[in-house]
């Protein structure tokens, strides 16, 4: 009896932790369909007016286009850099490898507001600030460590003798890369594209600093938050959430599938 | 093996992208920011210089140190609260859940990273405001309405929104990795559940727990959204000061001074944390 109630209390505690985590996410979803400008309980009536509002604002649509361009370009660049780094770590031992890997994994440990200031001042110095390309450059830096981590995890499952076998059969290193390594890593490459696109799609601090007039969606949200706040934030947020979560589910499914294939072999 | 000394073009091609990109757009910007902290602003224009004016101004500015103490204190408080609150939940997820259930829980814990932090902070504004959801909820139970907004408590709630899922995730993973036979051994030796946690689990998962706390601290220390939109920015945190002096004040060099001070603080704390994590048990 006693252990039963302890067990119940423990499970209730976990539930409470998840309620804390999901309260803001669910609240913003619910309020995006709520008519009140200053939402509270009890809820107002069901309404789509915040969705109508965002679709009637050209700057939101422009920001959506910028966001999509930025996340596509930076995910491709970050995944390319991440793949090269992961492969280097997988295959080679060399001097200063620790420093090389530190360089690869360090960016997420620097607060974004500091990254933003550093990026802004440097990009302004070399004449690259205030453009779409500025955001792409910055998001590539932020995304590359995640790309590297995801792809490295997959390469872990690759038997080192696989490459050696291809070389012995007369394939060059480049051909082996093209026909053995890349196909093997493909699920993780696509997962990395999704993951880094999602990172870029949500990032606001660096984008806000370096973007100038080319706003992305999170920058627009930040500006609404600074000015006349209203629940259209929730409507935009719901869209962003749907896009990001789709990307993440694809990424997770691919990684999971990859692992299952390996364990089946 | 004979060709090992030769420059290997293939290997270089894979090594180069990271080196080039992260040097040019990560290391150099941070280095440049440090250099810029010695520059001067004249007539709203930055001019290269090697002057200690910005450093002197910031280091002897009382407001800066009050903000520093406030930021450090709130980040430390958040780290302690988040770590302590997450631990029992991580324990249950690691030891009382089946593998499949734990995978689902971990999946759920990843979701928050991909929902806009700004949108979640706005949702907390709505929930915590004086006439907001929380007050209405308390009203149903006949309690007085509360306004938590614009207080340090609201800031901590905001910081936790950012860091709690990560802390819970990292703690769960590090606890789940503990060899279960260690726990059985402790039980066989007559160690109760409670004592097992403190004598066996926490020491065994120490590295993971400290890394989780460190990330929590880094995230809270650097965040400018929660202290501004939930905490009311009084006093401003260091990150708010960076945003203000960059965005409206045109005082990039002074912002750079604050950024360098923050980085040095983070490096010291990270160093202390790593030392603590890998210290030999004495």
């Amino acid at each position: 009896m006693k252990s039963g109630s302890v067990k119940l209390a423990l499970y209730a505690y976990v539930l409470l932790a998840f309620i804390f985590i999901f309260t803001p996410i669910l609240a913003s979803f619910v309020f995006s369909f709520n008519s009140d400008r200053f939402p509270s309980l009890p809820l107002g009536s069901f309404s789509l007016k915040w969705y109508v509002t965002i679709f009637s604002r050209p700057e939101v649509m422009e920001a959506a286009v910028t966001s999509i361009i930025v996340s596509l370009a930076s995910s491709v660049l970050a995944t390319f850099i991440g793949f090269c780094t992961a492969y280097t770590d997988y295959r080679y031992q060399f001097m200063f490898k620790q420093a090389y890997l530190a360089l690869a994994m360090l960016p997420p440990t620097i607060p974004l507001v500091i990254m933003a200031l550093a990026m802004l001042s440097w990009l302004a110095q070399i004449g690259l600030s205030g453009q779409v390309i500025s955001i792409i450059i910055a998001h590539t830096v932020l995304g590359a460590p995640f790309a590297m981590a995801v792809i490295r995890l997959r390469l872990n499952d690759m038997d080192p003798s696989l490459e050696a076998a291809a070389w012995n059969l007369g394939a060059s290193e480049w051909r082996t890369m093209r026909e053995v390594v890349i196909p093997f890593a493909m699920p993780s490459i696509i997962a990395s594209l999704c993951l880094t696109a999602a990172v870029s799609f949500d990032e606001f601090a660096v984008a806000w600093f370096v973007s100038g007039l080319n706003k992305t969606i999170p920058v627009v949200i930040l500006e609404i938050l600074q000015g006349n706040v209203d629940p259209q934030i929730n409507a935009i947020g719901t869209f962003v959430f749907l896009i990001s979560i789709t990307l993440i589910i694809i990424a997770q499914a691919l990684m999971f599938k990859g692992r299952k294939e390996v364990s089946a072999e | 093996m004979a060709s090992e000394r030769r420059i290997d073009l293939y290997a270089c091609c894979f090594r180069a992208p990271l080196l080039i990109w992260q040097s040019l757009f990560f290391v150099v910007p941070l280095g440049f920011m440090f250099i810029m902290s010695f520059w001067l602003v004249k007539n709203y224009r930055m001019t290269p210089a090697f002057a200690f004016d910005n450093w002197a101004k910031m280091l002897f500015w009382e407001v800066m140190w009050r903000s520093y103490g406030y930021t450090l204190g709130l980040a430390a408080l958040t780290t302690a609260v988040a770590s302590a609150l997450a631990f029992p939940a991580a324990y249950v997820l690691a030891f009382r859940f089946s593998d499949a259930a734990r995978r689902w829980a971990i999946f759920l814990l990843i979701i928050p990273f991909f929902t806009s932090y700004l949108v979640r902070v706005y949702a907390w504004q709505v929930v915590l405001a004086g006439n907001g959801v929380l007050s209405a909820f308390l009203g149903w139970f006949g309690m007085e309405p509360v306004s938590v907004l614009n207080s340090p408590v609201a800031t901590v709630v905001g910081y936790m929104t950012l860091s709690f899922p990560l802390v819970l995730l990292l703690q769960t993973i590090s606890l789940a990795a503990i060899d279960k036979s260690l726990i059985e051994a402790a039980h066989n030796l007559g160690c109760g559940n409670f004592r097992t946690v403190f004598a066996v689990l926490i020491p065994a998962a120490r590295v993971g727990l400290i890394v989780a706390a460190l990330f929590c601290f880094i995230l809270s220390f650097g965040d400018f959204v929660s202290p501004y939109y939930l905490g009311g920015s009084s006093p401003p945190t260091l990150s708010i000061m960076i945003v203000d002096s960059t965005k409206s004040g045109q005082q990039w060099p002074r912002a750079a001074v604050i950024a360098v001070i923050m980085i040095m603080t983070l490096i010291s704390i990270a160093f202390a944390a790593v030392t603590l994590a890998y210290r030999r048990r004495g």
Side-chain angles (χ1 to χ4, degrees), chain A residues 6-7 10-11 13-14 17-18 20-25 27-28 31 37-42 77 80-81 83-85 87-88 91-94 100 103-104 106-115 117-126 128 136-137 140-142 144-145 163 173-174 176-177 181 195 198-199 202 204-205 208-209 218-219 221-222 225-226 229-231 233-234 236-238 240-241 244-245 248-249 252 256, chain B residues 8-11 13-19 21-30 32-33 36 39 46 48 84-93 96-97 103 105-127 131-134 136-137 140 156-157 160-161 164-165 168 215 218-219 221-225 228-229 239 242-243 246-247 252 255-260 262-263 266:
Chain A
V6 167
K7 200 173 167 185
L10 286 174
Y11 282 108
Y13 187 81
V14 173
F18 277 86
F20 173 76
I21 293 170
F22 284 94
T23 292
I25 296 170
S28 92
F31 291 141
R37 189 180 165 84
F38 299 104
S40 184
L41 294 176
L77 282 167
F80 170 72
I81 296 171
F83 176 81
C84 293
T85 313
Y87 179 71
T88 301
R91 185 167 157 195
Y92 295 101
Q93 296 299 328
F94 50 93
Y100 178 84
L103 183 66
L106 223 46
T109 63
I110 305 288
L112 287 170
V113 69
I114 295 176
M115 286 293 283
L117 174 64
M119 288 281 181
L120 170 66
S121 42
W122 175 242
L123 292 178
Q125 199 63 26
I126 58 173
L128 275 177
I136 295 174
I137 290 173
T140 302
V141 171
L142 299 178
E163 263 190 300
E173 282 186 310
W174 286 107
T176 308
M177 169 54 66
V181 183
L195 189 68
V199 167
D202 264 344
F204 58 90
W208 183 42
F209 271 55
V219 176
I221 299 178
L222 190 65
L225 207 53
Q226 284 167 333
V229 188
D230 67 46
I233 288 184
N234 296 322
I236 302 176
T238 301
V240 175
F241 178 65
S244 304
I245 207 67
I248 297 315
I249 290 173
Q252 288 235 341
F256 192 64
Chain B
D8 185 342
L9 180 71
Y10 177 82
C13 285
F14 288 96
R15 225 166 285 182
L18 178 92
L19 288 175
W21 195 276
Q22 301 300 68
S23 302
L24 216 52
F25 300 118
F26 177 65
V27 177
V28 172
L30 287 173
F32 177 71
M33 187 180 71
M36 190 178 70
W39 286 18
M46 279 200 301
L85 289 183
F87 188 81
Y91 173 82
V92 177
L93 290 180
R96 303 290 172 96
F97 271 44
R103 253 202 305 278
I106 287 173
F107 175 70
L108 285 177
L109 287 175
I110 292 171
I111 289 180
F113 296 103
F114 300 98
T115 63
S116 167
Y117 176 47
L118 295 168
V119 173
R120 283 184 286 155
V121 164
Y122 169 65
W124 276 123
Q125 267 191 358
V126 170
V127 171
N131 52 358
V133 175
L134 182 64
F137 190 72
W140 289 349
V156 172
V157 168
M160 295 253 296
T161 306
F164 188 75
L168 184 49
F215 268 99
I218 293 174
L219 287 175
F221 193 66
D223 174 42
F224 67 90
V225 173
Y228 194 90
Y229 295 105
S239 42
I242 291 183
V243 170
T246 316
K247 276 284 172 182
W252 294 11
V257 172
I258 304 175
V260 172
M262 285 175 78
I263 289 183
L266 285 176

Side-chain angles (χ1 to χ4, degrees), chain A residues 134-150:
Chain A
S134 331
I135 321 174
I136 295 174
I137 290 173
H139 283 181
T140 302
V141 171
L142 299 178
F146 295 101
M148 141 88 183
V150 167

Side-chain angles (χ1 to χ4, degrees), chain B:
Chain B
M1 285 300 128
S3 65
E4 202 147 44
R5 290 257 156 231
R6 194 170 52 101
I7 293 173
D8 185 342
L9 180 71
Y10 177 82
C12 284
C13 285
F14 288 96
R15 225 166 285 182
L18 178 92
L19 288 175
I20 294 170
W21 195 276
Q22 301 300 68
S23 302
L24 216 52
F25 300 118
F26 177 65
V27 177
V28 172
L30 287 173
F32 177 71
M33 187 180 71
F34 180 65
I35 293 170
M36 190 178 70
S37 71
F38 297 99
W39 286 18
L40 293 172
V41 177
K42 287 176 184 157
N43 300 326
Y44 301 103
R45 290 187 67 88
M46 279 200 301
T47 34
F50 185 65
F52 288 88
D53 298 34
N54 307 306
W55 281 91
K57 160 94 181 137
M58 298 313 282
L59 290 179
F60 294 105
W61 193 28
E62 206 191 315
V63 176
M64 209 302 284
W65 287 112
R66 205 180 314 141
S67 288
Y68 185 86
Y70 183 70
T71 313
L72 202 65
L74 270 194
L77 178 70
T78 307
T79 306
V81 171
S83 297
L85 289 183
F87 188 81
Y91 173 82
V92 177
L93 290 180
F95 298 117
R96 303 290 172 96
F97 271 44
S98 67
D99 285 355
R102 184 164 56 249
R103 253 202 305 278
W104 273 104
I106 287 173
F107 175 70
L108 285 177
L109 287 175
I110 292 171
I111 289 180
F113 296 103
F114 300 98
T115 63
S116 167
Y117 176 47
L118 295 168
V119 173
R120 283 184 286 155
V121 164
Y122 169 65
W124 276 123
Q125 267 191 358
V126 170
V127 171
L128 299 178
N131 52 358
V133 175
L134 182 64
S135 292
F137 190 72
L138 291 176
W140 289 349
F141 296 96
M143 283 184 264
E144 291 289 303
V146 286
S147 179
V148 188
L149 212 55
N150 298 329
S151 72
V153 176
T155 308
V156 172
V157 168
Y159 285 162
M160 295 253 296
T161 306
L162 192 61
S163 59
F164 188 75
L166 181 66
V167 174
L168 184 49
L169 185 67
L170 292 177
Q171 286 192 351
T172 304
I173 292 171
S174 53
L175 285 177
I178 294 176
D179 189 349
K180 300 282 184 296
S181 59
L182 261 160
I183 304 167
E184 281 162 27
H187 284 320
N188 288 344
L189 292 169
C191 209
N193 266 332
F194 210 65
R195 197 167 154 211
T196 308
V197 167
F198 286 96
V200 178
L201 296 184
I202 290 182
R206 186 172 63 182
V207 174
L209 300 180
I210 291 175
V211 167
L214 182 62
F215 268 99
C216 179
F217 184 86
I218 293 174
L219 287 175
S220 314
F221 193 66
D223 174 42
F224 67 90
V225 173
S226 285
Y228 194 90
Y229 295 105
L230 294 175
S233 188
S234 60
T237 60
L238 294 180
S239 42
I240 292 177
M241 290 175 86
I242 291 183
V243 170
D244 283 348
S245 26
T246 316
K247 276 284 172 182
S248 45
Q250 297 294 327
Q251 277 291 355
W252 294 11
R254 278 185 203 163
V257 172
I258 304 175
V260 172
I261 293 175
M262 285 175 78
I263 289 183
M264 292 195 301
T265 308
L266 285 176
I267 290 175
S268 330
I269 286 173
F271 186 75
V274 170
T275 313
L276 189 70
Y278 291 101
R279 187 190 53 181
R280 263 198 239 142
R281 236 167 282 173

Side-chain angles (χ1 to χ4, degrees), chain A residues 129-197:
Chain A
S129 76
Q131 303 161 36
V132 175
I133 185 111
S134 331
I135 321 174
I136 295 174
I137 290 173
H139 283 181
T140 302
V141 171
L142 299 178
F146 295 101
M148 141 88 183
V150 167
I151 297 169
R152 185 67 187 80
L153 213 60
R154 171 73 178 166
L155 290 180
N156 254 350
D157 295 332
M158 187 166 86
D159 190 338
S161 57
L162 211 60
E163 263 190 300
W167 301 329
N168 285 341
L169 292 170
S172 70
E173 282 186 310
W174 286 107
R175 185 156 173 220
T176 308
M177 169 54 66
R178 214 167 45 238
E179 293 184 14
V180 177
V181 183
I182 291 181
F184 185 89
M186 197 42 92
S188 68
I189 290 173
I190 297 171
S192 152
L193 286 172
C194 294
L195 189 68
T196 49

